Amino acid sequence: MPRQATPLTDTKIKSLKAKAQRYRVSDIGGLMLEIMPSGSKIWRYRYQVHGVRQPALTIGPYPEISLGAARTQRDTWAAMVARGESPKRAVQIAKSAMLNTVSAFGGQWLDEQMVGKSQSYVTTMRRLMTKDVYPSLGSLPLSEVKPADIMALCDKIKSRGLNRHHFSRHSAAVENAAFRIRSAKAFR
């Protein structure tokens, strides 16, 4: 029979000190706190799917992730394990969904496409994305952006004055590139 762990408390967690080697202190239900030689404390969750031990999943750093929040995340993942699902797969899906937003794509696109461009052009494009694209479309997943959204954004930019016409063309070019890249990735 496995040894029962004593539930952690905030007082006990705060008293844990760094050692030369990292070490783990168990809570209950597969939750553990890993203490690094640097003194940082990381929440991890150990689990088994169909009797096979899986690599520990990282929940996050303590104290940013409190004991209660770590236990809540553990309970969510434990329910998935009980259904025979892998929490690691759910984490990967959530992470990829976060990276498929307009703002995440826009940052990646700017980093890739602005190599070799003039500094004034790079500044203009970053300003365009920051002031116009991200506030209106930034949190949307790429798959949910429709041509009507892009046209509305271009019209909004044009409505600020005639000198902004070239900005709306740049914005449309960026969003069209997003559609082409998203479409290409979808058919891989």
Side-chain angles (χ1 to χ4, degrees), residues 75-128:
D75 294 342
T76 302
W77 286 345
M80 293 177 74
V81 170
R83 292 189 306 264
E85 300 172 12
S86 173
K88 182 176 184 178
R89 181 75 179 126
V91 168
Q92 290 170 338
I93 290 170
K95 194 178 283 188
S96 70
M98 270 182 23
L99 294 176
N100 285 329
T101 62
V102 171
S103 60
F105 171 81
Q108 179 185 355
W109 185 85
L110 282 172
D111 292 341
E112 293 171 0
Q113 298 295 316
M114 296 298 118
V115 175
K117 306 286 187 204
S118 71
Q119 187 58 43
S120 64
Y121 182 74
V122 171
T123 303
T124 299
M125 291 305 291
R126 288 199 187 282
R127 185 179 321 121
L128 169 75

